[in-house]
Every structure is written in C-alpha cells, then in structure tokens.
Amino acid sequence: MAKINSSNALARFRVLDLSRVRAGPTCVRMLADFGADVIRIEPPKGVDPNEGMFAADRLGGDFQNLNRNKRSLTLNLKKPEGLEIFRSLVKDADVVVENWRPDVKARLGVDYESLRAINPRIILASISGFGQSGPYARRPGFDQIVQGMGGLMSVTGFPEQGPVRAGLAVADSAAGLYSALGIFIALLEREVSGEGQWVHTSLLHTMIAMMDFQAARYLNEGDVPQQAGNDHPTSSPMGLFQAVDGLFNLGASGEGSWQRLCAALARPEWLDDPDYANEKLRVKNRSKLNAQLQAVFSVQSVSHWVDLLNRAGVPTGPVYTVPEMFEDPQVQHLGVVKEVIAETGIPRRVVTQPVRLERTESAIAAAAPGWGEHTDEILTELGYDSERLRSFRAQGVV
C-alpha cells in the first residue's frame, strides 16, 4: 500500500507528522482527510517517557479520531541513523508538522533552516504554546493554561462565579486549524515562488484571536468583557430559557428577529415598550425582558417553541447532551459520524470533516494506525532492504 487514498484533493502532497497530543494532530488530520500522504513519525516504544500522553491507547476514541488516514513509522530521531532516514523522507516531502518546544527542533537538527538545506520547497509548520521566540517561548503550553492567559476563562461562566474553563480544548483545536490554513496558504504561494517557508502559530495567539469580538470590544471601546452566563454579552434577547419539559436556546438578535419574536409570541405591546426600543436598551433591561419571556415559555414544551419560533424566522434550538446530539436527524443527515475498522478488527466511530467540497470530498479511508504499522512499508519505499530493516530494529532505530 503506497498510501491511503482518502481523497484526490491533496493526493500529490506528502506530509511528515512529528506532532503529538492535539493541536498538531488536528492540523494534520485535515490534510490526511483530504488525501495527503501523511506519515506519522513517532519514537519506538519505550523511547519517549511521555508516550502515555499521546499514544498509549491506540484504540481509544480520541486517538482514532485524531489520527485516522495516517501511516505510522517508528523512528528514533536521537540516533544518527534515525535522523538520516528522516532527512531522506524530507527530500521528497512537502510539509513537516511539529509541536515541540522551539529549542527541541534546533537541538535535533530539524529546524527550518536545516530542512530547507535538504529541500528548499519544504514547508515547516510549527505549533507552540507561546510562540517561537519571546520570554515564554520555552514554556510548555497546555490548553487550559492558555484558556486562562488568553482571556477565555474570564468571560466563561456566570457573574461572580470565578473563571471557568470551556468544556473542550478550544486553543488546541483552533491552533491546529489555523496551522492547517497557514499550510494551505504556503502551498499556494509555493506555486508562484517555488520555495517553501516556515509557518508557525501559538496556542496563546490563537486563543486571543478566538476571543474575537470580546477582544475587539476592549481594544476599541474600552469595554472590559465580563462573565454573562448563558446570556449573550451584547445582544438581547439571546440566552437559555426553561420550557415545561426542558431547556432551549433563543437567539433573537437584531431588530428583525426581535420583531418576529414579538409577533410569534403575540406580544405586540413589547414593541412599544421604551425599555426595549433598541438592542442596547434590551441588553440594559435584560432582567425584565428575560423574566417576561420566561413567563411565556414555561407553559409549553421545548419542541413547541423550537418549531414555532424557527417557522417564524427566530433562531431557536434545544440543549442536547452528547448522546442526544448524535441522535438529532439533521446531525445524522450531515453524515457527522463515520465507522472505521481498526487494525484489530474492532469498529471505531469518528467525526467527519465539517467542510464539504462537492467535487473532491474528504473521506475517512482508514482507522488510526497501529504503532509503527507501516514502518517496513515506508522504509522499503525509501530503498532499504530487509537486512537493513533488521539492523535498524536491532539498534533501536525503528
């Protein structure tokens, strides 16, 4: 098997994946799902004392979801022979992705200048916690640390509750996607210049970018964002309400939605209330407005309000648990879940790519690889014979 054929979109590119944990694998997963030949390079078992963090449970849902459509090569880059094999791969590769601390790649000789000397067309994508230079460059970066430093925890949760982490790895996942976007831009630019370049992003910068309008409010209006619970900080009515049998979200932002909401609820008098004359006043008088809305909503079911208000053009939706989310008919229609068969024959379910290309669609053609599953295959492609493979294993190179 020369490669995993998931899509034709990126089939002409080879990616060497040195990354671990979440941000890097998220980036590379997108390239793999759209057909790039991704070689996941990981140390042989027992070489990395932290291997339990990122590779212990190969059949676990998280590992399978992050690393499908990739081939696995075990390679000890601390040995000269292992580094030489890696450099041989770099000669014909398009992209290298890593998320080590900045000093590690220079110490191993896989920094951008070293790679460029081997292949001037190579693109090195580096993901770090805090950037490739600066006072925090050598700090280890984890998602929750950056959620705190990037401002997200200060605006998550209810007033006076204290900082609250988001329930998913926002900084990690977003940094991976930003890095993939940077790679795509570099590949497009290379078509003009013929040269690769170094692409790098950090969890910290990514987290601040994800703060988006909250950050922009402070920078331009001096408005310090606060915790707002389930209410939107700058729009009203927008938040969580209790129906007779559960909770639902309402998003009546803007004058058009506000007018449609009042009409659907048969409350035309709210349109004449001076406290609700515009969005700013509805935010200012949110407590009064929410109480009036809650009195209306408490007498009917979630499905009643979701159906009625969406028909009226007012965004409304139920609040699901994760199992309920996957049972939703629209989620099933979108093909969000795909089953793959892992190396042991055990079926695993993973989440598909949310971006659709009608002509060159992504696909999930293979489960995440076993540890070093494709080592012999890849080294044979490089021209090594069986005797050299035995030698490499005896020396702990692979």
Side-chain angles (χ1 to χ4, degrees):
M1 182 178 72
K3 65 184 292 285
I4 295 166
N5 296 306
S6 57
S7 171
N8 292 325
L10 301 177
R12 65 192 183 278
F13 299 116
R14 171 169 281 187
V15 179
L16 306 180
D17 181 13
L18 295 168
S19 68
R20 301 291 180 266
V21 192
R22 184 165 314 282
T26 296
C27 165
V28 179
R29 175 178 61 192
M30 190 166 200
L31 307 177
D33 286 357
F34 280 98
D37 178 21
V38 171
I39 299 175
R40 176 182 165 83
I41 298 172
E42 45 197 334
K45 288 184 180 180
V47 171
D48 188 341
N50 295 316
E51 66 188 24
M53 284 183 59
F54 58 80
D57 186 4
R58 310 292 286 203
L59 294 176
D62 191 26
F63 186 88
Q64 289 289 320
N65 196 49
L66 281 171
N67 293 294
R68 74 282 184 109
N69 287 339
K70 303 175 185 179
R71 297 195 285 169
S72 173
L73 165 68
T74 53
L75 204 56
N76 189 344
L77 296 179
K78 295 179 181 179
K79 289 185 174 288
E81 298 87 350
L83 195 55
E84 186 58 37
I85 292 170
F86 176 74
R87 287 171 174 161
S88 296
L89 287 166
V90 170
K91 290 178 184 177
D92 295 316
D94 297 283
V95 179
V96 175
V97 179
E98 60 87 16
N99 58 351
W100 299 328
R101 287 203 302 265
D103 57 309
V104 173
K105 55 183 167 288
R107 192 164 64 244
L108 289 175
V110 295
D111 54 290
Y112 176 66
E113 290 303 322
S114 298
L115 299 182
R116 185 177 183 275
I118 301 168
N119 177 359
R121 291 174 58 81
I122 200 71
I123 292 161
L124 173 63
S126 298
I127 305 171
S128 63
F130 300 99
Q132 298 298 311
S133 61
Y136 302 162
R138 293 196 177 192
R139 287 188 183 182
F142 283 90
D143 183 88
Q144 184 161 343
I145 305 301
V146 172
Q147 283 194 32
M149 295 178 69
L152 179 61
M153 291 177 66
S154 75
V155 299
T156 304
F158 291 86
E160 311 303 326
Q161 181 181 11
V164 178
R165 70 178 292 275
L168 49 83
V170 182
D172 273 342
S173 297
L177 294 175
Y178 274 118
S179 185
L181 181 60
I183 290 168
F184 295 144
I185 294 169
L187 287 170
L188 283 171
E189 193 280 335
R190 193 179 70 175
E191 294 179 2
V192 178
S193 68
E195 296 184 15
Q197 59 184 304
W198 189 17
V199 175
H200 45 96
T201 189
S202 69
L203 271 64
L204 181 60
H205 198 159
T206 292
M207 187 70 265
I208 295 169
M210 291 294 289
M211 289 291 286
D212 196 43
F213 77 96
Q214 297 278 43
R217 286 169 59 200
Y218 169 71
L219 289 174
N220 294 281
E221 285 81 48
D223 188 359
V224 179
Q226 304 291 329
Q227 293 169 304
N230 291 312
D231 294 319
H232 191 280
T234 62
S235 295
S236 180
M238 183 176 286
L240 190 69
F241 293 91
Q242 178 76 52
V244 71
D245 61 348
L247 296 163
F248 68 93
N249 276 310
L250 171 72
S253 175
E255 296 307 316
S257 288
W258 166 242
Q259 292 167 12
R260 291 190 293 272
L261 175 67
C262 293
L265 300 180
R267 295 296 191 278
E269 66 275 14
W270 290 353
L271 294 174
D272 298 322
D273 190 324
D275 285 346
Y276 308 149
N278 56 49
E279 187 95 67
K280 285 188 176 181
L281 286 169
R282 291 194 293 275
V283 171
K284 179 181 177 181
N285 298 295
R286 190 198 306 272
S287 296
K288 171 187 170 183
L289 177 54
N290 282 356
Q292 290 179 311
L293 285 165
Q294 186 56 68
V296 174
F297 291 144
S298 62
V299 298
Q300 291 285 357
S301 67
V302 169
S303 61
H304 171 85
W305 296 119
V306 169
D307 292 343
L308 174 71
L309 295 177
N310 276 295
R311 284 199 307 270
V314 180
T316 314
V319 178
Y320 287 147
T321 63
V322 172
E324 290 169 338
M325 170 190 73
F326 283 119
E327 292 299 318
D328 184 275
Q330 185 64 25
V331 173
Q332 295 183 356
H333 171 78
L334 291 172
V336 169
V337 177
K338 173 71 183 293
E339 184 175 283
V340 290
I341 304 299
E343 58 170 335
T344 57
I346 296 175
R348 302 278 81 185
R349 292 189 296 169
V350 298
V351 177
T352 57
Q353 284 292 341
V355 59
R356 301 289 298 270
L357 275 67
E358 286 294 319
R359 187 167 50 79
T360 54
E361 178 62 290
S362 66
I364 298 172
W371 211 319
E373 179 181 345
H374 305 95
T375 296
D376 288 1
E377 173 185 298
I378 294 166
L379 293 182
T380 300
E381 291 172 9
L382 286 173
Y384 295 105
D385 58 25
S386 57
E387 184 176 341
R388 291 296 303 279
L389 298 185
R390 283 193 295 271
S391 174
F392 288 149
R393 284 197 164 82
Q395 298 174 67
V397 174
V398 300

